Amino acid sequence: MKKIELVFIVIVLVLGCKNAPKANTYSSTVKKNKTISTEKYRPQHHFTPKTNWMNDPNGLVYYNGNYHLFYQYYPDSTVWGPMHWGHAKSKDLLQWEHRSIALYPDSLGYIFSGSAVIDKQNSAGFGKNTMVAVYTYHDPVAEKAGNDQYQSQGIAYSLDEGETWVKYQNNPVVKNPGIKDFRDPKVFWNKEKAVWQMVLVAKDHVQIYESKNLKVWNKISEFRFEENRELGVWECPDLFKLKVNNEDEEKWVLIVSHGGESAPNGGSGTRYFVGDYDGTTFTTDQKESHWLDYGTDNYAGVTYNDTPTNKRIFIGWMSNWNYATVTPTKSWRSAMTLPRELQLMKSGDNYLVKSKLIDGFENMLSTPNQEHITGTYPHQFKYEYLQSSSISFDATIEREMQVNLFNEKGDELMIGYRKDDGMFYLDRGRAGVLDFSEKYKESSYQTMEIGHRNSMNIHVVLDASSIEVFINEGEYVMTAQIFTNEPLTSFLFDQKKGGAIKNFSLKHIKRKEDAYKKAK
Ligand code: FRU
């Protein structure tokens, strides 16, 4: 071997070792291919807990280059239990780094959902730029003793960007006023009034509070909305301002999630109101509330505080309380939705909140190698990227159509649009495993009324056990879990009643850097 070759080999070896992951850098979920999890059903591009149970996103706040995602977490089991706040962070909202558990239950109770803010002016006295979490204490002892006042609000602060936390010694900061369901505080800085404000839910309405220092809170108003239907307990509110697309007008949007059976396709779901907020009271002249997502699996979602671009970024929990605890995953349960930018548009006399996939998602996409596609693209073809079922496709639909996605195991998922009754539908009734839950089975056929349209754009993201459908850049959205036996690889477009599919484009979601790094 020549000397120069030897030098070259040594350099390669040294560099290789330097870049190689240290033994404990990657979680056990990431085995052979370090950039992808091989676990059945685990989405590659959606946030999932490394192990065990997760529900609502909590404490969504951007600070110093990182989007923080805290979440309802039970580290000891794959079903709901004493709640903690898990923690992850991300530079782009798509690749997440797992961090250590942020908040543990204490003598005041479990740590239920809530929010986080950056106290830039040190109003609370914990220090400048402290991260402050505002959450619900759920006291299981009081609950068991039949005392209805078992939920109150507490705060904790972190001086190291969410890594370690100190609970405030005079918790709770908002005591229970005698209402059983009293929870999920979302705090934000009201710029106009230069004061902290908090929306929280109290059984069947929203309450708004105000504070100068995050420690002493005064109630300033309530919001109720009477409807002739039972909507189930109110949960996870959020209140924020949005500019109406292409207009000078600004409106306020109030989001509320509902447990029970009220969502359009059964179980729990999230609705919104568009109205005005004078800094004290929220009002709307809307006759009915609208749903943010018509699929079964987008719940308890809220938006980020302090995003650098002032965009309103939303993340929801991609499950449904009707069956969340029994879905057929093994070592972990549930995922978050892809992050979405909420926008407001006018549609006739109505305001519509759009849920648009964040712009950065485009960077994750690449055109698949044509060799992996067989058949008559785009009408009936097979995409043989079997290691990964993470794909995204876009198309213009004219009049009617149905897309069947299937595989050789006989799993089949259908989405389609009927112009006659203006209905978009998703049918997961033959999409793999169903019998883990009657409620899941009952919600196999899901619909959303989108009106009579000659043409529309449809964007679909499939990632292992999830499908997200965005119509016209998120004017209407459907998010659902699916548990197919194998990835769906074949496409059949059924152009009903003279319908047509145009501009079809299939994209592969790139395997980026490993998102499952271990917390230090
Ligand atoms: C919503 C919710 C919240 C509560 C949390 C408990 O899914 O019920 O209202 O704070 O989950 O985990």
Side-chain angles (χ1 to χ4, degrees):
M1 193 182 293
K2 286 193 196 129
K3 202 172 160 198
I4 186 137
E5 282 173 352
L6 193 67
V7 169
F8 179 68
I9 287 169
V10 169
I11 289 174
V12 166
L13 280 175
V14 167
L15 283 178
C17 290
K18 219 171 141 208
N19 292 333
K22 302 208 172 54
N24 67 350
T25 306
Y26 296 98
S27 86
S28 56
T29 60
V30 184
K31 286 183 192 129
K32 282 182 218 130
N33 185 332
K34 291 179 210 75
T35 61
I36 196 162
S37 158
T38 50
E39 272 176 289
K40 195 168 186 185
Y41 304 136
R42 193 189 279 273
Q44 307 301 313
H45 304 283
H46 289 71
F47 179 76
T48 52
K50 247 195 289 186
T51 55
N52 291 317
W53 171 268
M54 171 178 84
N55 56 296
D56 316 357
N58 295 152
L60 302 186
V61 67
Y62 176 89
Y63 182 59
N64 203 14
N66 289 304
Y67 291 89
H68 292 268
L69 165 62
F70 298 90
Y71 52 91
Q72 288 287 277
Y73 186 49
Y74 184 39
D76 296 332
S77 164
T78 51
V79 293
W80 190 92
M83 283 290 111
H84 299 53
W85 273 26
H87 181 205
K89 63 181 187 179
S90 169
K91 300 263 178 233
D92 62 0
L93 291 157
L94 294 162
Q95 301 169 77
W96 295 96
E97 187 184 319
H98 286 291
R99 309 306 302 163
S100 310
I101 292 177
L103 296 172
Y104 289 78
D106 59 50
S107 61
L108 295 178
Y110 303 160
I111 315 294
F112 271 20
S113 287
S115 48
V117 293
I118 303 300
D119 187 7
K120 294 181 188 140
Q121 291 157 15
N122 192 18
S123 65
F126 300 136
K128 218 171 166 219
N129 288 323
T130 302
M131 190 181 282
V132 180
V134 187
Y135 55 85
T136 297
Y137 269 119
H138 176 101
D139 179 354
V141 183
E143 186 186 19
K144 214 167 170 196
N147 172 357
D148 277 354
Q149 302 191 19
Y150 52 79
Q151 293 185 339
S152 60
Q153 322 312 320
I155 61 175
Y157 63 93
S158 167
L159 303 172
D160 55 6
E161 303 192 12
E163 296 297 314
T164 57
W165 290 84
V166 181
K167 305 245 181 66
Y168 175 49
Q169 59 189 16
N170 293 330
N171 274 336
V173 292
V174 182
K175 295 207 172 73
N176 188 292
I179 300 173
K180 205 169 159 186
D181 295 296
F182 183 67
R183 57 178 179 264
D184 306 342
K186 170 68 194 265
V187 174
F188 61 97
W189 177 249
N190 184 319
K191 249 197 248 155
E192 288 83 3
K193 272 180 108 178
V195 71
W196 295 110
Q197 296 199 322
M198 169 201 290
V199 276
L200 61 80
V201 281
K203 190 179 166 210
D204 55 2
H205 66 277
V206 168
Q207 299 191 343
I208 306 183
Y209 288 72
E210 196 166 277
S211 173
K212 287 196 168 19
N213 57 11
L214 297 164
K215 293 170 173 167
V216 180
W217 291 92
N218 294 311
K219 188 168 123 188
I220 54 170
S221 69
E222 291 187 353
F223 172 77
R224 290 167 193 274
F225 194 79
E226 306 301 338
E227 266 179 307
N228 292 334
R229 53 187 174 144
E230 188 42 62
L231 275 164
V233 66
W234 294 38
E235 300 187 313
C236 303
D238 197 356
L239 178 66
F240 48 86
K241 192 161 67 178
L242 280 183
K243 190 183 155 305
V244 182
N245 279 357
N246 310 319
E247 317 232 355
D248 287 335
E249 199 183 7
E250 287 182 329
K251 298 295 271 182
W252 284 75
V253 177
L254 176 67
I255 287 183
V256 185
S257 283
H258 289 280
E261 283 296 329
S262 56
N265 287 291
S268 46
T270 302
R271 62 178 179 155
Y272 66 86
F273 305 93
V274 181
D276 298 302
Y277 181 57
D278 62 6
T280 306
T281 314
F282 176 81
T283 50
T284 179
D285 45 24
Q286 220 169 278
K287 300 281 171 291
E288 318 193 295
S289 52
H290 301 299
W291 295 92
L292 200 63
D293 191 314
Y294 287 81
T296 40
D297 296 285
N298 181 358
Y299 193 65
V302 282
T303 66
Y304 267 90
N305 279 328
D306 298 346
T307 53
T309 48
N310 260 338
K311 289 187 171 167
R312 216 8 95 174
I313 309 291
F314 169 98
I315 293 183
W317 172 44
M318 199 155 55
S319 198
N320 190 309
W321 278 117
N322 261 354
Y323 45 74
T325 56
V326 292
T327 52
T329 57
K330 284 225 166 69
S331 61
W332 92 102
R333 270 237 171 76
S334 82
M336 295 300 177
T337 65
L338 282 176
R340 298 150 187 206
E341 183 192 337
L342 301 187
Q343 294 185 350
L344 193 59
M345 61 175 266
K346 238 177 164 169
S347 155
D349 288 340
N350 278 323
Y351 294 94
L352 198 74
V353 175
K354 282 174 82 161
S355 300
K356 199 175 159 287
L357 262 182
I358 56 163
D359 295 340
F361 184 71
E362 283 294 310
N363 302 334
M364 304 281 286
L365 304 179
S366 63
T367 308
N369 187 335
Q370 292 300 308
E371 280 165 23
H372 297 297
I373 297 178
T374 49
T376 47
Y377 183 86
H379 293 291
Q380 179 162 9
F381 68 95
K382 195 170 167 192
Y383 175 49
E384 301 200 41
Y385 216 104
L386 287 172
Q387 304 94 309
S388 154
S389 57
S390 302
I391 55 158
S392 154
F393 64 87
D394 246 299
T396 307
I397 304 297
E398 291 185 353
R399 297 173 294 278
E400 305 236 349
M401 70 94 207
Q402 179 170 293
V403 186
N404 294 17
L405 289 147
F406 56 102
N407 61 25
E408 275 154 22
K409 283 266 155 109
D411 301 333
E412 186 174 30
L413 172 70
M414 282 167 295
I415 53 174
Y417 172 64
R418 288 191 303 262
K419 200 178 165 207
D420 289 352
D421 59 357
M423 229 18 125
F424 188 91
Y425 57 89
L426 179 150
D427 189 351
R428 61 181 179 184
R430 279 189 302 214
V433 186
L434 308 178
D435 54 13
F436 56 88
S437 153
E438 273 311 306
K439 293 270 186 197
Y440 179 88
K441 237 194 226 171
E442 279 166 20
S443 61
S444 287
Y445 188 72
Q446 307 181 12
T447 56
M448 73 178 160
E449 199 170 342
I450 62 169
H452 307 280
R453 290 161 191 262
N454 283 327
S455 163
M456 63 183 168
N457 169 266
I458 171 175
H459 182 189
V460 177
V461 181
L462 262 180
D463 186 9
S465 53
S466 70
I467 175 166
E468 286 160 288
V469 183
F470 300 86
I471 308 273
N472 289 345
E473 297 210 300
E475 276 175 32
Y476 290 91
V477 185
M478 254 190 166
T479 304
Q481 293 184 86
I482 41 160
F483 300 97
T484 55
N485 295 299
E486 272 181 12
L488 297 165
T489 49
S490 294
F491 287 66
L492 171 66
F493 287 93
D494 190 351
Q495 297 170 38
K496 298 177 172 226
K497 298 191 183 160
I501 302 235
K502 301 213 164 132
N503 312 319
F504 180 82
S505 131
L506 175 75
K507 293 280 166 64
H508 179 217
I509 309 178
K510 281 189 247 173
R511 299 167 180 191
K512 277 228 177 165
E513 262 248 287
D514 177 24
Y516 297 98
K517 280 187 190 154
K518 242 191 185 167
K520 277 181 200 141

